[in-house]
Amino acid sequence: MSKAADLPNDVEALKGILIEREAALAERSTALEAAKALVLSQKLELEKLRFEIACLKRMKYGRSSEQLEAQLTQMQLTLEDLEASLAEIPEPIRPVPKEPAAKPVRRALPAHLPRQDVVHETACTCPGCGTALRRLGEDVSEMLEYIPGRYQVIRHVRPKFCCAACQKIVQVAAPSRPIARGLAGPGFLAHVLVSKYADHLPLYRQSQIYAREGLELDRSTLADWVGGASELLEPLVGALGRYVLAAQKLHADDTPVPVLCPGRGSTKQGRLWTYVRDDRPAGSSEPPAVLFRYSPDRKGERPRTHLASFLGVLQADAYAGFDRLYGERIQEAACWAHVRRKFYDIHVALASPIAAEALDRIGRLYGIEAEIRGKPAEERLAVRQTRAGPELESLYAWLHATATTLSRKSELALAIRYALSRWAALTRYRDNGRLEIDNNAAERALRVVALGRKNWLFAGSDDGGERAAAIYSLLGTAKLNDLDPEGYLRYVLERIADHPINRIEELLPWNVATQLPSLRLAA
């Protein structure tokens, strides 16, 4: 007898079975999350012990080499990312420490900081019976805030009133905070995030900077704030991703990011991928945006997963993983900047007249693009077909003729074969006014990562790489829309906790720009 035959015919009984199965699935999901949290907590405890041992060794034996200092720096970054990852997990399913320490006493905020009172007044009459209220006192809570260039404490004052007639106590509800029960205001959180991801200051360095201002903020506290803020911003990053992937044309590129392997003290090679939507050079009024994604490797399945919903033209380099995407859904548009770079390197090294000729011919193509940048797509298409078309035909014939005069193993022959092998993709821009001649939009988006690598050298974990990708997406998109990234994040963090999830797109940078023109960068 089949399993379907075992099911009862009664609708209510079937509903009961369905409810039981849904409850069992929910319980299993909670158990998996709890197990993940337990593993993460154990990793964090292990890394803390390793860090303490390394510090004790340095104290005992002295700083014998730069290698020990680098090891401590790696451990600091690992702790930051593990603590931030643990902060993202809902508090009810986080593991309880085996031996909970005495509850720490929260330090009072420094008395030397200026205070600003924000009084939350209530109605003058009792909402229950309409009788005039009599003041009982007030509740005061403090929040550390950062005003560009200085710190201050915002005191939220909520007067209490009581009704003499019905003994009802009336008080305005406490204002929501970006992080529940957290001391950081939205401006301070934005400052921490921008300092870490745009100014490339790891949290342990920020902690040292704040200490000089009289603010005792442990690295672990800052990590909790970063994890909490990342979780809060996740729906906004999701909305940004949907907007980017709805484009008809994208620029794509990737860059390596060294990532620490917790517990091993070594690094592996992660990747940050960028996908840029920007049609402003074709006269479009659609807002530009950039989406970053992190992966622990460079397998071709990574961009295939990222671009699963994308339909259109992809401008990218010659990475083989992108080649597998091209077909009916996605068309390839190659990058003339990559071709030009190969000839430029040969010209600099050898002063080759052939390389100089190639650079001159490619330069004429770029000269045409400079004249039509920002023009409507239809006008660009007409100019390209009239002027760039003959130039491309002449260049193609010259490359073919020149290749026959060179050794197949020479650098010049390799550069020419690279151009000829991708000729259809290289010339696709000629027949589509929305496309660009190169992929520089994606390369510009990755500069922030390259600058970061020079400062922090590596990410602390895979979770840290994913957090970096999310925050880079918001900061990069704010810059593309001429917004101050810190001002934009402050605006978002002030509102996102109470913002309806089904209207999260209202907080995307271009929508904020129309509401807050004062955030726009000076031209």
Side-chain angles (χ1 to χ4, degrees), residues 114-129:
R115 259 67 176 172
Q116 175 185 340
D117 286 359
V118 177
V119 180
H120 303 271
E121 293 287 1
T122 187
C124 298
T125 57
C126 177
C129 64

Side-chain angles (χ1 to χ4, degrees), residues 258-381:
V259 181
L260 291 177
C261 299
R264 287 175 24 195
S266 59
T267 62
K268 62 180 181 179
Q269 191 89 301
R271 309 295 296 192
L272 272 175
W273 307 78
T274 186
Y275 304 100
V276 181
R277 174 178 180 173
D278 189 356
D279 290 326
R280 291 175 298 176
S284 174
S285 59
E286 295 174 350
V290 57
L291 177 67
F292 284 87
R293 288 285 187 252
Y294 169 81
S295 67
D297 52 50
R298 205 193 185 199
K299 294 179 181 177
E301 64 192 58
R302 305 302 182 182
R304 189 160 59 248
T305 301
H306 301 160
L307 299 173
S309 63
F310 173 66
L311 298 171
V313 182
L314 186 69
Q315 294 208 260
D317 60 18
Y319 166 52
F322 288 136
D323 289 344
R324 300 188 186 99
L325 296 173
Y326 303 132
E328 293 182 3
R329 292 178 53 255
I330 300 178
Q331 282 189 315
E332 177 188 11
C335 174
W336 273 103
H338 279 76
V339 176
R340 182 187 182 280
R341 199 169 298 144
K342 292 179 182 297
F343 287 108
Y344 178 79
D345 291 341
I346 296 171
H347 180 64
V348 169
L350 305 175
S352 164
I354 294 177
E357 172 72 11
L359 291 174
D360 181 64
R361 289 173 175 268
I362 296 172
R364 292 202 290 270
L365 295 175
Y366 271 90
I368 296 171
E369 292 304 302
E371 294 177 24
I372 60 176
R373 186 169 294 114
K375 303 291 185 181
E378 297 78 8
E379 183 177 338
R380 282 156 55 100
L381 174 60

Side-chain angles (χ1 to χ4, degrees), residues 6 32 35 41 51 60 111 124 194 203 255 293 333 351 394 419 460 469 487:
D6 291 336
L32 288 174
S41 176
F51 179 69
K60 182 175 181 179
C124 298
V194 170
L203 298 183
T255 191
R293 288 285 187 252
S394 174

Side-chain angles (χ1 to χ4, degrees), residues 350-422:
L350 305 175
S352 164
I354 294 177
E357 172 72 11
L359 291 174
D360 181 64
R361 289 173 175 268
I362 296 172
R364 292 202 290 270
L365 295 175
Y366 271 90
I368 296 171
E369 292 304 302
E371 294 177 24
I372 60 176
R373 186 169 294 114
K375 303 291 185 181
E378 297 78 8
E379 183 177 338
R380 282 156 55 100
L381 174 60
V383 172
R384 285 171 175 174
Q385 291 184 333
T386 302
R387 297 174 56 191
E391 291 284 354
L392 287 167
E393 291 176 4
S394 174
L395 176 56
Y396 183 76
W398 179 81
L399 289 173
H400 263 293
T402 304
T404 62
T405 67
L406 301 171
S407 167
R408 289 185 57 82
K409 295 183 179 180
S410 69
E411 292 297 322
L412 272 172
L414 292 174
I416 290 175
R417 284 204 300 275
Y418 174 86
L420 293 176
S421 66
R422 312 191 73 80

